Amino acid sequence: MKKQTKWWLSLVAVAVIGGGAWGLQHHQDQQTITVGSLGGDVETWQQIAKSPVTKQAGLKIKVKSFTNPVQLNDATAHGEIDVNAFQSWAYLENYNHEHPKKQLAALGTTYLEPMGLYSDKYQQLKALPDGAQIAIPNNPANTARALALLQAAGLIKLKATFTSTSGTNQIAANPHHFKFLEIDDTTGPRVLKSTDAVVIGNTIAQEGHLNVLKDALYHEQVNQSTKDNINVMATAKAQSHNKRYLKLVKLYHAKQIQAWVTKRFHGTKVEVNKPLSYLEN
């Protein structure tokens, strides 16, 4: 009888331990992932957080809104934010270069938003007069991106040594004698009234009720030359292989989510579902 009792107690113990392990795993799967974002991407992730496909993936998402991109990257590096979704590959690379003790890593690609050149005063690119003042973003990654855009538009020529973090000192030729005013990225739409033209990133342009495909004098074309401008999801470097975080990348590219993004942002967030090697090569 004692042997039977011991056998029964052992069976119960195994069941409890096994059930506890399953419960722990289930709890881990359901553990909330905090996603930090800014601008229009906050709305996207709020939509993703409440989407049925997120629940089906066994994920729970909490979204935190930021207004300062450096603060958001700092919070991610410190683990206060699990994953962030707002920045281009070039911006991430530049952040890591400037913050060697706060390294981040990309989890996957999301989209490309064409950067555009806008003007309240002129309706065509060729109408920009010699000596016109053009406002460009003042952070290194977007300064270089803006200059590359102006070169693609045929307005300036850049030096062969130009890189993804170069500034105006890398302009080789400025035949129209344009004057460049470096401004905070977020002020682009407001600066339109006080300058001849402004280069604005699409997230900020959307906030200013501008559609890059319709309102810009010129905008980036989606091709190999703009791959540094593809947006990525990022996390602290130590978490780069976190399986739960990597699930967020697949979640973003779910058909239901992409249908919502396309409708909400009028096609200006062009989906890019590429391996990270596409950016690194």
Side-chain angles (χ1 to χ4, degrees), residues 58-79:
L59 299 174
K60 188 174 181 181
I61 298 171
K62 177 182 179 182
V63 182
K64 290 196 70 174
S65 177
F66 284 71
T67 57
N68 185 302
V70 176
Q71 288 179 356
L72 175 47
N73 270 345
D74 287 348
T76 306
H78 291 310

Side-chain angles (χ1 to χ4, degrees), residues 98-116:
E98 293 188 348
H99 301 82
K101 295 183 179 180
K102 301 177 185 178
Q103 296 292 284
L104 300 177
L107 291 165
T109 61
T110 51
Y111 61 83
L112 184 140
E113 288 185 283
M115 179 176 269

Side-chain angles (χ1 to χ4, degrees), residues 88-149:
S88 69
W89 172 249
Y91 190 94
L92 175 63
E93 290 273 272
N94 185 66
Y95 176 86
N96 280 342
H97 177 73
E98 293 188 348
H99 301 82
K101 295 183 179 180
K102 301 177 185 178
Q103 296 292 284
L104 300 177
L107 291 165
T109 61
T110 51
Y111 61 83
L112 184 140
E113 288 185 283
M115 179 176 269
L117 175 66
Y118 300 83
S119 177
D120 267 359
K121 297 180 180 179
Y122 306 100
Q123 302 302 311
Q124 293 182 317
L125 192 64
K126 63 183 180 182
L128 283 174
D130 287 356
Q133 184 182 63
I134 300 177
I136 59 176
N138 67 357
N139 73 70
N142 282 338
T143 300
R145 183 175 177 180
L147 293 173
L149 170 69

Side-chain angles (χ1 to χ4, degrees), residues 186-220:
T186 61
T187 64
R190 296 197 299 273
V191 175
L192 269 172
K193 296 185 183 300
S194 59
T195 193
D196 295 307
V198 187
V199 179
I200 309 173
N202 190 56
T203 298
I204 304 302
Q206 289 259 336
E207 292 174 5
H209 307 290
L210 297 168
N211 184 311
V212 66
L213 304 180
K214 298 177 181 178
D215 302 322
L217 298 181
Y218 184 86
H219 62 76
E220 287 175 333

Side-chain angles (χ1 to χ4, degrees), residues 37-41 44 85-88 110-116 118 142 145 149 200-207 210-213 219-222 226-232 252 261 265-272:
S37 195
L38 52 80
D41 286 341
T44 295
F86 77 95
Q87 65 195 317
S88 69
T110 51
Y111 61 83
L112 184 140
E113 288 185 283
M115 179 176 269
Y118 300 83
N142 282 338
R145 183 175 177 180
L149 170 69
I200 309 173
N202 190 56
T203 298
I204 304 302
Q206 289 259 336
E207 292 174 5
L210 297 168
N211 184 311
V212 66
L213 304 180
H219 62 76
E220 287 175 333
Q221 308 301 310
V222 181
T226 57
K227 69 178 184 178
D228 282 347
N229 307 327
I230 291 171
N231 274 39
V232 296
Y252 178 83
V261 171
F265 298 103
H266 310 289
T268 63
K269 291 180 185 284
V270 182
E271 182 185 12
V272 178

Side-chain angles (χ1 to χ4, degrees), residues 138-182:
N138 67 357
N139 73 70
N142 282 338
T143 300
R145 183 175 177 180
L147 293 173
L149 170 69
L150 296 176
Q151 175 174 255
L155 300 180
I156 61 173
K157 186 175 181 180
L158 300 170
K159 295 179 181 179
T161 51
F162 182 84
T163 70
S164 62
T165 56
S166 291
T168 53
N169 63 337
Q170 289 294 301
I171 296 175
N174 181 13
H176 298 287
H177 309 290
F178 293 128
K179 299 179 180 68
F180 299 101
L181 173 67
E182 296 192 15

